[in-house]
Amino acid sequence: MNWKNSQRLLLVAAVVLGCTSCGNGAGTAQRDQFLAARQLVVDGKYQEATAPLEAFITQHPGNKFCSRAGLFLGKAYLAQDDMAQAKKWFQWTVDNHAQTLEGHKCKYKLAMCAVLEEQYDKASDQFATLAEKPDGPLAAEATAWQRWLKKQAAKPEAGNE
């Protein structure tokens, strides 16, 4: 390889490597902001995660990561035993991002919240909606929960035996 070909190769490599971030500017900054907030949830820093996740949603309402931010915000509140805020953010995600995987997961999370609150009829109805579509990502789990709820409903209450 001669010197001229080496220079061309280096120039092509510089252009290719330099353009891996071309056009990402604000998108990369927003992605990084979301990922940093999400990582707090992953690390179990639930209380610390809520403000950055809410800020992300407020500052970037049209961002593709908003559905994930809503899901993780609900999870952060759920882990803090703040059921009202958890349900608020799961419902927000369903209402604003129903067709996303996160919207679907939030429907499942809302049904789980109903179980935790011992609202078994409500939970059963919510799981039934998810189980209706066997190709849904949580249909099998929803079906299993429906079965469990039916068994619980069939058991005699303690003291009434």
Side-chain angles (χ1 to χ4, degrees), residues 32-145:
D32 292 348
Q33 181 185 359
F34 163 73
L35 291 175
R38 176 192 167 275
Q39 191 61 44
L40 292 169
V41 177
V42 171
D43 292 342
K45 298 176 181 175
Y46 307 116
Q47 192 168 8
E48 292 175 42
T50 56
L53 285 166
E54 286 185 28
F56 180 83
I57 290 170
T58 301
Q59 294 167 4
H60 313 292
N63 188 281
K64 66 181 180 179
F65 292 110
C66 274
S67 60
R68 294 184 70 199
L71 169 65
F72 276 91
L73 193 49
K75 291 170 71 167
Y77 279 117
L78 186 62
Q80 295 177 69
D81 199 26
D82 189 339
M83 189 67 73
Q85 284 295 312
K87 291 189 311 185
K88 170 190 165 185
W89 286 105
F90 291 144
Q91 189 63 56
W92 177 88
T93 306
V94 169
D95 292 345
N96 292 283
H97 304 279
Q99 301 307 312
T100 64
L101 177 59
E102 292 80 10
H104 190 80
K105 287 179 179 181
C106 284
K107 289 176 187 174
Y108 183 83
K109 300 285 187 193
L110 287 166
M112 290 300 305
C113 288
V115 169
L116 292 171
E117 293 180 317
E118 298 181 7
Q119 298 174 348
Y120 299 129
D121 290 339
K122 182 178 181 177
S124 185
D125 291 345
Q126 290 173 320
F127 284 128
T129 301
L130 293 167
E132 286 174 358
K133 297 181 181 177
D135 63 338
L138 295 167
E141 292 88 340
T143 301
W145 273 107

